[in-house]
Amino acid sequence: MIPKINKRKLFEFIIILILGLVPLLWFRGSEVILGHDSGLTLLPIPHFLDRLYAWTERFAFGSDQTYAIAGFFIHGLDALISSLGFGLQNVQKISFIFWFVLPGITMFYFASKLEKRLNIVYLALPASTFYMFNHFLLQGWFVAERTKFSLYAALPLILSFLFDWQEKKFSLLKTALLISITLFFLNGEASPPLFGGMILTVGVFFIFYLIQKLSWGRLISIFKLVTLTGTISVVLNAYWLFSYGNYILHFYSKQVTTAGGILGIKGWIDYVSQNSSIINLIRLQGVPEWYQNPLHPYAHYFFSNPLLIVTSFLIPILAFLPLWIFRNSEKKYYILFFSFLALFSIIFVAGSHEPFGAFYLFLINFVPGFIAFRTPFYKFAPALWFSYSILIGITISYFLQRIKFRNAAKYTLYLVICAAIILYSFPFLTSSFFNYMVGERSMKVNVPQYVFDFGKWSETPSRRSIKTLVLPPPNFDNNVDAYNWGYWSLSPLTSLLTNSPIINLSIYMSSPESNLVKRLYTMMKHNDPGWQNLAKLLGIKSFLLRNDFDSNAKGSPTDKPSDYVQVLHEGGVKLVKKIGKWDIYDLTEFNGENLIASSRISYLLGSFEDMAKIASLPQFDPNIPVYIAGTSSDINMQDLASITGNSYIVPGCITCDLQHLYINTDLYEVLITRNSIFYPLLKIKGAINKTTKDTRTVLYESLRSILSFRKDVGNKESSDKLLLLLSDYQASLNNLDNSLSKTTNNYKNKDNNLFLEISEVLRVEKIIIEGLPNNISSSEAINSLNDRYDSLQALKGKVDSNLWRTEDISNKRFLFNVEKTGNYSFNYRPNQAMNNSSKIDYSLDGEKHTANSLESREGWIRLGALPLSKGIHRLEIYQEPLELYIGVKEPVILAANNSCFASNKVYGRKDDIYRISFFHQRLYGSSKFKIKILDNDDRNNLLDSKGDTLSSAVSWNNYQMDHSLGKDGFFYFVICNEGVPADNTDNSSIVLKNIVINKISVPEVIFSSSSKNMPEVVKIENAKKSQGEYKFSNRELKGKYAIMLYQSSNRNWTLNGSASNRIILNGFANGWITSSDNVDIRYDSQGLVKLGFIVTGIAFLIAVGALVVIKFKK
Amino acid sequence: MINSCINYLKKIYKWYEKNIAKVIFVVVTYMVFDTLFHLPYINLLQIVFGFLPILISWIVALILFRPSKNAILTLSLLAFAPSIIFNSISNLVPVAEFLGNISYFALITYVLSSLSEIRAK
């Protein structure tokens, strides 16, 4: 029997379907939506297929993407549409229509059922319209946030099933099956925070369920429903849950750290909650972007247009009017439910905004996992908009039912109201919301054909596995990928274009990987020797020069493509393809790509960054894998020793830049000082927590102690109290002295870093004390403070006498450890132009040496061979600084006519440090002079720029400053009359002498020793079975050998099923030491993915079968 | 018309005259607790219970005035009207925010006090 179709409902449903076609208004010409945070891809099918793997090569040096497998349906939909032969724009149109209309349909289903429950009509269409057209979704649509839309669409369905279960229309099993299947398809890409709105809604449902009748029976039924739904959901979602669970277990803390730690997250919550006041939220405003983005495309209309402002205040009245309308009704349950849901969700949506902000921060601090909700507005708002849609729909329905119009007129009014709802979110019709920074950035772009052509070419078998580095690099600070044809995103364009390993700086890189790639960029930009070696170490064979890259993008300036043209025309590099504005260059000699086996590895005693240093040595062979000491914990040291060949020792140049360590005293400010009424509690805590304190703990206690004293000096505490604090400080110094005595007894240089830190902290304490006497009135306290100062000085002298650090610009001090006695080649790179000297003086462990007949190659000077014994060594090299100032020796600077003195320009690289010093003396007048450092030729705004005032007097005064170059280029200093425009009558003048500009260079030293045995390196070809599996048989290497897989090191990569003897090679790659002839390398999580898909498939068939059986039985 | 206006204002004035002590008490309660929560050491409580001064004042107001549920609901809906003026025309956003808080607390009070009505009989 065909069920009778309700004409009104059919009419309403057709209207919703028509409204779902709105996305067709958004596209002009060949525009597509791309960039920002959208995740929309250029090639849906390959992108979807890549997401079936737990390991992807699209990012960095390969990356785990188990978190992305849950996007199966979202990306599968795009791939499905694409597979039907539609072009990219049409794929987006169809996909957008689906996601746009889906919330309307699910809300229509829910609201239609609610109409029956409340015995009303005219609810479903306005509720659905409001649920589709509102400011929350508008903000989500600018990046087509399909993950958010999926859960947003699921919300009405879930609640509808729950109401049916409550009313016993659905059985427990049916409800659990329906909820699980809904969340199976609409899973928000398994992003836990996106479930915020749903958790709130379901939570309120259970609260009301229990309020209605609080009984054990109901509690048990809730337990049963939650357990059954949870169980079915787990098996249904096994395809992503198994591997994602594994990911969460290992990377939760990493995610927190990436977000800036708990403090960073709280700061972010404060930032996004700034405008989430109740008055804003209750009228459905407070969208963070509206207030934070001054170029927001439409927010200003809602702030300034009186009609829109008045409408915004009508919204809460319309929403909460049902409380009044149904105040005496028996069907009050649903009205109270949605009102409570709206009001309750506001507490969460408001985040850290008053008045409930403290409660939210409490949850962040103390509820495990709640930290995931670090953007409260976007995560909890669905519950608010959902409840408002229903409540406003009820109000509209109430009034329409009471208006005594004819049906036609009533329907016209009905449609006019729906049109008004749409018009209130008018940017949906204009698509202006895609222009998220008006005049600057838009999501609508025309992708040049050559971009697609490159994508296609890079997927050809001969290019599919070649690691390609993009040029120029993005801005190092924010990694923005921006092109002058409009693409702008933190997601590299190439990751949306091809599955080939295109290397972009991104968050997917580990810190060492990122630093190594940055170093490679710097070396390439300056065409430094060894850059090709470093590229080979990283497995990079190819370079993509993007001549359309926007190197002047606002907020993310970077190098120009032309900066890299020269280096790409060097020997060893050839142009292999030109595709539109993109040029591809390859290294001609290359051994890496996927996998190599080597009979020997090189051993580096240094840091990750030192890889770039050893790569620049003339005799360095980049084909031999390098192991950095201490980077692998599960390595068998005997195996390692058996295959170690060349070794390199890179000593650290201790404080060669002559800069002090930064000690952030804010971290050590004390809340409760000795004079606080809570101090006894602190004593009790200290007494309970009696653990042995290490030297660092004792050190920072002394800093806390003097900061505590300074605080109470500021509070004008009495002399007695100050004396007590000073005695505490003396005790802390004594504790430090005692602790140090233990350390210095075993003194063998190994505590140099500790001594350095202590010296710097004591220096800070010294500065604090020196600034205090003027604020202390008690002579007794001043005397006591002087005594403490003497103690501090004595202690610092003791520390400094044990400390090995560079103290002046000429004598560079190094400290290094030798693990194996032997003869080492001594290589030295001064990091500055050398004076015309044929010898270098240095001392090793106090013994003076002179190296003559220097041999220089590619920047390195070989100082001969040195026998080095096992242990720690101190090295000091004398390096005379070059004088960089060229100009008048004693310039006179006049105030009149703003005549300024400018030094010559000094050229250098980013982060180079220069020391400027001179003597100055006043000749006439009283006008002040200011010194400023400039890095461009524009001197128009000299008065606005920052600078030091010279306190010139009749006697000579010394001035000295260190300047760090912020970018590659030049700087010079200028001295001008300060501020006030001078006239011809101002005869003020000063004179300078002994002007010196020196580079504070940080030279480099490498001790290297070569193995007598020539290493055998084999390039393994045709071993790659998939991006998570490699297999080969070794027939060339005998005994132990090393295997290196040029994919980012990850513990889930295993060799022959075992994770043991895994090492990190070349600073980033997976390596193993083995003697096995048959090698099977796998990314283990892929096994979990496979298993998960099987479980999911079976579970889905059973779930659907069970639903059919339930229906059939009924 | 004029007479009705005058009568209305008289009525309001009488209500105000009758309840002035209560109004002052509520305002003072809020000020006292707000000040108290900003004092040294006690301000530690603000880290978690920053909303307490408003909540306490609201409870005090409910106790003193004992408004009917309908009156609370009326207040909550009507409080939005002046908010429009303060939020946009005079740009007195803090006043609008205060009225928004009043509306919110009134609404939640009404909803909470109505929950007993949904209990199954």
Side-chain angles (χ1 to χ4, degrees):
Chain A
M1 194 179 81
I2 301 168
K4 193 183 171 188
I5 296 172
N6 181 325
K7 282 184 186 171
R8 182 175 57 81
K9 300 306 294 178
L10 182 64
F11 171 72
E12 289 175 345
F13 188 68
I14 290 169
I15 298 262
I16 288 169
L17 292 182
I18 292 170
L19 292 178
L21 299 176
V22 161
L24 293 176
L25 301 171
W26 298 345
F27 296 86
R28 303 269 186 282
S30 58
E31 284 173 348
V32 292
I33 308 302
L34 200 67
H36 203 287
D37 217 5
S38 68
L40 289 162
T41 172
L42 288 164
L43 293 171
I45 297 173
H47 189 80
F48 170 69
L49 294 175
D50 184 67
R51 280 172 167 264
L52 299 179
Y53 288 93
W55 186 260
T56 181
E57 296 175 359
R58 288 184 296 131
F59 297 109
F61 293 94
S63 176
D64 182 287
Q65 63 166 358
T66 45
Y67 61 90
I69 294 170
F72 182 85
F73 289 107
I74 289 173
H75 295 278
L77 175 69
D78 291 356
L80 177 69
I81 300 166
S82 184
S83 68
L84 297 174
F86 290 102
L88 182 61
Q89 192 193 61
N90 285 328
V91 169
Q92 290 193 346
K93 280 179 183 171
I94 297 168
S95 171
F96 285 9
I97 287 170
F98 174 80
W99 290 113
F100 195 85
V101 78
L102 191 63
I105 293 173
T106 58
M107 177 53 103
F108 186 76
Y109 172 80
F110 177 78
S112 297
K113 286 194 146 191
L114 197 62
E115 280 180 352
K116 287 178 190 165
R117 288 187 175 103
L118 291 170
N119 198 20
I120 58 173
V121 288
Y122 307 122
L123 163 64
L125 184 58
S128 301
T129 310
F130 194 83
Y131 201 54
M132 290 165 76
F133 293 86
N134 57 62
H135 297 154
F136 170 70
L137 277 192
L138 195 52
Q139 195 58 42
W141 265 110
F142 103 90
V143 285
E145 214 174 342
R146 293 157 297 165
T147 48
K148 189 181 281 178
F149 304 153
S150 68
L151 286 172
Y152 185 79
L155 189 54
L157 291 180
I158 306 283
L159 194 62
S160 178
F161 301 147
L162 287 173
F163 277 143
D164 283 335
W165 169 75
Q166 181 185 13
E167 292 162 7
K168 302 197 185 320
K169 290 177 185 166
F170 284 1
S171 67
L172 177 72
L173 178 63
K174 185 178 178 181
T175 310
L177 283 169
L178 285 171
I179 291 174
S180 303
I181 290 174
T182 303
L183 291 179
F184 173 61
F185 287 109
L186 304 172
N187 63 6
E189 209 172 321
S191 173
L194 287 180
F195 284 78
M198 190 167 291
I199 293 168
L200 281 185
T201 308
V202 173
V204 169
F205 170 82
F206 286 137
I207 290 171
F208 267 63
Y209 182 66
L210 290 174
I211 288 173
Q212 199 182 36
K213 190 181 178 187
L214 183 60
S215 66
W216 281 111
R218 287 213 159 188
L219 277 170
I220 290 166
S221 62
I222 288 175
F223 176 76
K224 279 182 185 170
L225 179 65
V226 171
T227 309
L228 190 59
T229 308
T231 309
I232 297 170
S233 293
V234 165
V235 287
L236 270 180
N237 292 286
Y239 72 99
W240 63 265
L241 205 57
F242 289 178
S243 51
Y244 187 63
N246 189 39
Y247 171 81
I248 287 286
L249 280 175
H250 291 112
F251 294 97
Y252 176 75
S253 59
K254 187 186 166 190
Q255 294 284 316
V256 173
T257 311
T258 307
I262 187 88
L263 281 176
I265 286 168
K266 281 157 82 174
W268 171 249
I269 293 171
D270 285 342
Y271 177 66
V272 294
S273 305
Q274 275 173 6
N275 298 95
S276 305
S277 62
I278 283 179
I279 193 66
N280 278 342
L281 295 180
I282 214 161
R283 57 197 179 105
L284 298 185
Q285 295 201 353
V287 182
E289 276 284 311
W290 285 23
Y291 307 86
Q292 291 156 2
N293 177 4
L295 299 176
H296 197 278
Y298 55 83
H300 59 283
Y301 294 118
F302 294 93
F303 295 151
S304 57
N305 185 301
L307 181 64
L308 292 175
I309 292 170
V310 171
T311 308
S312 76
F313 279 92
L314 280 178
I315 285 175
I317 295 172
L318 288 173
F320 293 106
L321 214 49
L323 283 174
W324 179 267
I325 295 167
F326 290 86
R327 64 190 184 279
N328 297 319
S329 166
E330 286 180 1
K331 290 169 180 167
K332 206 174 178 182
Y333 181 91
Y334 297 102
I335 310 301
L336 283 175
F337 175 84
F338 287 108
S339 300
F340 182 77
L341 177 60
L343 295 168
F344 186 59
S345 60
I346 280 176
I347 296 173
F348 292 86
V349 181
S352 64
H353 198 289
E354 287 184 343
F356 301 111
F359 171 68
Y360 195 87
L361 292 178
F362 172 81
L363 297 176
I364 287 283
N365 277 325
F366 299 109
V367 176
F370 201 81
I371 205 166
F373 300 102
R374 62 173 187 264
T375 313
F377 185 93
Y378 296 115
K379 306 312 177 204
F380 293 106
L384 182 61
W385 261 268
F386 173 57
S387 49
Y388 265 58
S389 299
I390 294 294
L391 290 168
I392 290 172
I394 290 171
T395 304
I396 291 169
S397 153
Y398 175 80
F399 284 112
L400 275 174
Q401 280 185 272
R402 262 143 199 82
I403 292 171
K404 293 194 169 30
F405 285 174
R406 287 181 179 175
N407 266 352
K410 197 175 263 190
Y411 265 89
T412 308
L413 182 60
Y414 190 36
L415 293 178
V416 166
I417 289 169
C418 291
I421 291 172
I422 296 167
L423 284 176
Y424 185 60
S425 296
F426 63 90
F428 273 119
L429 305 177
T430 63
S431 76
S432 62
F433 58 93
F434 283 126
N435 308 320
Y436 57 99
M437 286 178 77
V438 176
E440 291 186 7
R441 290 181 203 151
S442 174
M443 295 294 294
K444 295 202 276 189
V445 293
N446 283 297
V447 186
Q449 183 56 40
Y450 59 81
V451 172
F452 291 102
D453 293 343
F454 171 81
K456 205 173 170 186
W457 180 73
S458 67
E459 288 279 3
T460 54
S462 61
R463 304 294 302 181
R464 177 61 184 82
S465 294
I466 294 179
K467 282 197 175 60
T468 305
L469 181 71
V470 295
L471 298 171
N475 181 288
F476 283 178
D477 295 329
N478 53 31
N479 296 337
V480 166
D481 205 35
Y483 294 81
N484 53 28
W485 44 268
Y487 180 84
W488 187 101
S489 179
L490 293 177
S491 293
L493 175 69
T494 53
S495 70
L496 309 170
L497 179 66
T498 170
N499 294 335
S500 294
I502 314 286
I503 313 288
N504 288 272
L505 280 174
S506 69
I507 56 164
Y508 298 96
M509 277 187 184
S510 66
S511 180
E513 288 169 353
S514 173
N515 288 339
L516 283 171
V517 172
K518 284 177 185 172
R519 188 65 196 265
L520 176 59
Y521 276 125
T522 307
M523 290 171 79
M524 287 186 74
K525 188 181 174 188
H526 299 286
N527 200 4
D528 287 340
W531 73 264
Q532 291 188 17
N533 284 345
L534 183 57
K536 288 171 185 172
L537 280 173
L538 295 173
I540 295 168
K541 177 184 181 180
S542 187
F543 302 90
L544 170 63
L545 184 66
R546 303 166 296 175
N547 291 302
D548 57 352
F549 198 75
D550 188 358
S551 47
N552 289 317
K554 189 179 176 184
S556 56
T558 184
D559 301 334
K560 293 187 283 294
S562 57
D563 292 340
Y564 292 86
V565 170
Q566 190 202 341
V567 76
L568 294 171
H569 287 84
E570 289 291 308
V573 188
K574 68 170 181 186
L575 177 69
V576 289
K577 188 92 175 167
K578 276 177 93 71
I579 305 177
K581 292 186 177 177
W582 287 10
D583 304 336
I584 301 99
Y585 296 81
D586 279 0
L587 293 177
T588 50
E589 289 176 23
F590 191 78
N591 208 28
E593 288 191 23
N594 283 327
L595 203 59
I596 60 165
S598 175
S599 61
R600 288 278 179 273
I601 60 169
S602 298
Y603 188 81
L604 168 63
L605 205 57
S607 66
F608 287 99
E609 283 75 15
D610 292 334
M611 289 260 298
K613 293 179 188 169
I614 62 168
S616 64
L617 281 174
Q619 67 273 25
F620 181 76
D621 182 353
N623 295 317
I624 306 170
V626 179
Y627 172 70
I628 302 170
T631 53
S632 301
S633 55
D634 54 356
I635 183 78
N636 181 323
M637 296 311 287
Q638 282 182 336
D639 286 352
L640 182 66
S642 69
I643 62 163
T644 296
N646 301 338
S647 63
Y648 302 91
I649 301 168
V650 184
C653 194
I654 314 292
T655 63
C656 279
D657 59 3
L658 300 180
Q659 305 304 300
H660 289 293
L661 286 180
Y662 172 63
I663 308 290
N664 185 357
T665 53
D666 290 347
L667 298 175
Y668 303 99
E669 289 284 1
V670 284
L671 189 64
I672 299 172
T673 66
R674 184 184 244 282
N675 300 316
S676 161
I677 55 169
F678 290 110
Y679 188 71
L681 294 174
L682 209 65
K683 295 281 278 182
I684 294 167
K685 186 187 168 195
I688 294 168
N689 192 17
K690 265 189 179 171
T691 50
T692 314
K693 292 170 182 172
D694 64 11
T695 307
R696 273 199 177 79
T697 309
V698 177
L699 169 68
Y700 288 100
E701 274 182 0
S702 78
L703 180 60
R704 279 200 184 87
S705 183
I706 196 65
L707 286 169
S708 169
F709 176 74
R710 183 173 74 175
K711 189 175 182 180
D712 276 5
V713 167
N715 290 339
K716 306 276 181 206
E717 292 288 356
S718 66
S719 173
D720 291 347
K721 289 180 176 174
L722 293 181
L723 286 171
L724 273 175
L725 283 167
L726 283 172
S727 69
D728 285 350
Y729 179 57
Q730 181 62 55
S732 70
L733 290 178
N734 293 342
N735 286 342
L736 181 58
D737 193 21
N738 291 338
S739 181
L740 272 175
S741 299
K742 288 179 204 164
T743 313
T744 49
N745 284 342
N746 300 324
Y747 160 60
K748 288 281 181 193
N749 292 346
K750 64 182 175 187
D751 293 310
N752 199 62
N753 282 338
L754 177 63
F755 283 128
L756 184 62
E757 190 176 345
I758 294 169
S759 176
E760 292 292 342
V761 173
L762 294 182
R763 182 183 65 82
V764 170
E765 291 181 16
K766 193 168 158 251
I767 292 168
I768 292 169
I769 293 177
E770 284 166 355
L772 284 174
N774 291 339
N775 302 320
I776 303 172
S777 52
S778 157
S779 57
E780 207 176 347
I782 290 178
N783 289 337
S784 176
L785 184 64
N786 286 337
D787 291 343
R788 304 296 92 81
Y789 187 74
D790 292 342
S791 301
L792 174 70
Q793 288 274 58
L795 186 57
K796 189 170 185 306
K798 191 173 171 183
V799 171
D800 288 347
S801 66
N802 284 326
L803 176 62
W804 184 249
R805 68 185 293 174
T806 304
E807 286 167 350
D808 59 56
I809 202 164
S810 305
N811 293 293
K812 307 293 182 184
R813 290 181 169 177
F814 299 81
L815 196 68
F816 63 99
N817 182 29
V818 175
E819 289 185 350
K820 194 176 172 187
T821 302
N823 273 324
Y824 290 84
S825 175
F826 185 1
N827 303 281
Y828 174 62
R829 186 156 67 174
N831 193 21
Q832 68 166 39
M834 290 290 286
N835 286 326
N836 291 328
S837 168
S838 59
K839 60 171 189 149
I840 287 178
D841 296 323
Y842 66 92
S843 74
L844 183 66
D845 298 326
E847 193 179 323
K848 291 191 175 176
H849 300 266
T850 299
N852 296 305
S853 58
L854 305 176
E855 176 195 334
S856 175
R857 208 174 138 202
E858 294 180 356
W860 286 97
I861 302 167
R862 193 161 179 275
L863 302 183
L866 271 183
L868 293 173
S869 59
K870 189 178 175 183
I872 293 172
H873 298 272
R874 288 178 166 191
L875 172 70
E876 184 172 9
I877 302 178
Y878 177 75
Q879 180 174 306
E880 190 182 328
L882 270 188
E883 177 49 59
L884 299 170
Y885 173 72
I886 310 162
V888 184
K889 287 192 172 173
E890 294 193 2
V892 175
I893 307 163
L894 305 171
N897 294 328
N898 282 330
S899 70
C900 296
F901 166 78
S903 74
N904 58 303
K905 289 176 183 172
V906 174
Y907 288 82
R909 289 187 186 182
K910 186 175 184 288
D911 297 331
D912 280 352
I913 301 174
Y914 293 85
R915 175 159 289 178
I916 301 155
S917 68
F918 53 79
F919 284 86
H920 56 103
Q921 184 192 41
R922 180 165 296 281
L923 296 178
Y924 300 106
S926 58
S927 292
K928 289 181 177 173
F929 289 81
K930 213 168 186 178
I931 177 169
K932 295 156 191 181
I933 306 288
L934 300 179
D935 61 1
N936 56 53
D937 290 319
D938 182 11
R939 296 195 203 169
N940 290 328
N941 299 315
L942 273 179
L943 293 179
D944 300 331
S945 57
K946 287 178 182 173
D948 291 343
T949 301
L950 297 175
S951 52
S952 304
V954 287
S955 58
W956 287 100
N957 279 320
N958 180 237
Y959 175 83
Q960 178 180 298
M961 76 173 295
D962 292 345
H963 175 67
S964 173
L965 270 184
K967 58 181 183 183
D968 293 341
F970 64 83
F971 79 93
Y972 58 102
F973 73 85
V974 177
I975 298 175
C976 296
N977 177 32
E978 187 186 57
V980 185
D983 56 43
N984 288 325
T985 59
D986 189 346
N987 63 353
S988 299
S989 61
I990 61 169
V991 62
L992 313 184
K993 71 172 185 180
N994 296 350
I995 305 171
V996 175
I997 303 177
N998 289 144
K999 181 181 176 185
I1000 304 177
S1001 61
V1002 182
E1004 291 160 357
V1005 167
I1006 298 176
F1007 293 102
S1008 59
S1009 77
S1010 302
S1011 165
K1012 288 168 191 166
N1013 300 324
M1014 280 300 289
E1016 196 179 345
V1017 182
V1018 182
K1019 181 180 176 182
I1020 314 290
E1021 290 179 294
N1022 303 320
K1024 187 177 180 182
K1025 303 302 169 198
S1026 73
Q1027 57 210 67
E1029 188 180 354
Y1030 296 79
K1031 275 184 183 174
F1032 71 94
S1033 296
N1034 166 42
R1035 294 191 184 84
E1036 299 176 49
L1037 303 177
K1038 304 294 171 203
K1040 297 268 182 203
Y1041 66 98
I1043 298 170
M1044 181 163 75
L1045 174 68
Y1046 284 85
Q1047 294 293 322
S1048 187
S1049 172
N1050 187 300
R1051 69 173 73 182
N1052 285 328
W1053 280 104
T1054 58
L1055 179 106
N1056 294 340
S1058 166
S1060 61
N1061 256 3
R1062 198 179 68 83
I1063 55 174
I1064 299 172
L1065 292 174
N1066 288 6
F1068 78 100
N1070 295 286
W1072 294 269
I1073 299 173
T1074 183
S1075 53
S1076 175
D1077 288 339
N1078 294 312
V1079 173
D1080 183 356
I1081 299 169
R1082 284 171 191 271
Y1083 192 64
D1084 257 6
S1085 297
Q1086 191 60 36
L1088 288 174
V1089 175
K1090 276 183 191 168
L1091 176 68
F1093 268 107
I1094 294 166
V1095 172
T1096 293
I1098 295 168
F1100 182 70
L1101 290 175
I1102 294 172
V1104 172
L1107 274 180
V1108 171
V1109 169
I1110 291 168
K1111 179 82 181 168
F1112 185 71
K1113 267 190 174 177
K1114 197 177 173 184
Chain B
M1 179 71 178
I2 294 169
N3 280 341
S4 61
C5 282
I6 291 169
N7 285 337
Y8 179 72
L9 288 172
K10 272 184 180 174
K11 203 175 159 187
I12 286 182
Y13 181 75
K14 273 185 183 171
W15 182 91
Y16 186 69
E17 201 175 28
K18 190 179 161 190
N19 293 289
I20 181 73
K22 293 177 184 175
V23 171
I24 291 172
F25 188 80
V26 171
V27 173
V28 169
T29 304
Y30 176 77
M31 287 167 70
V32 165
F33 276 94
D34 192 51
T35 311
L36 199 67
F37 275 68
H38 281 89
L39 289 176
Y41 304 117
I42 302 174
N43 60 10
L44 290 171
L45 290 171
Q46 267 211 322
I47 295 168
V48 184
F49 304 109
F51 56 90
L52 275 184
I54 294 180
L55 188 64
I56 292 168
S57 311
W58 182 249
I59 292 167
V60 168
L62 290 177
I63 293 168
L64 287 177
F65 292 101
R66 296 192 178 277
S68 67
K69 272 168 52 182
N70 285 346
I72 292 171
L73 186 58
T74 311
L75 169 74
S76 69
L77 294 175
L78 291 182
F80 287 114
S83 295
I84 303 174
I85 301 164
F86 291 120
N87 190 67
S88 54
I89 299 170
S90 307
N91 205 23
L92 290 169
V93 176
V95 180
E97 285 193 4
F98 175 75
L99 288 171
N101 290 350
I102 295 281
S103 288
Y104 182 84
F105 277 95
L107 278 169
I108 203 115
T109 306
Y110 176 80
V111 171
L112 291 175
S113 59
S114 303
L115 288 181
S116 58
E117 296 170 31
I118 64 168
R119 288 184 69 82
K121 281 148 190 163

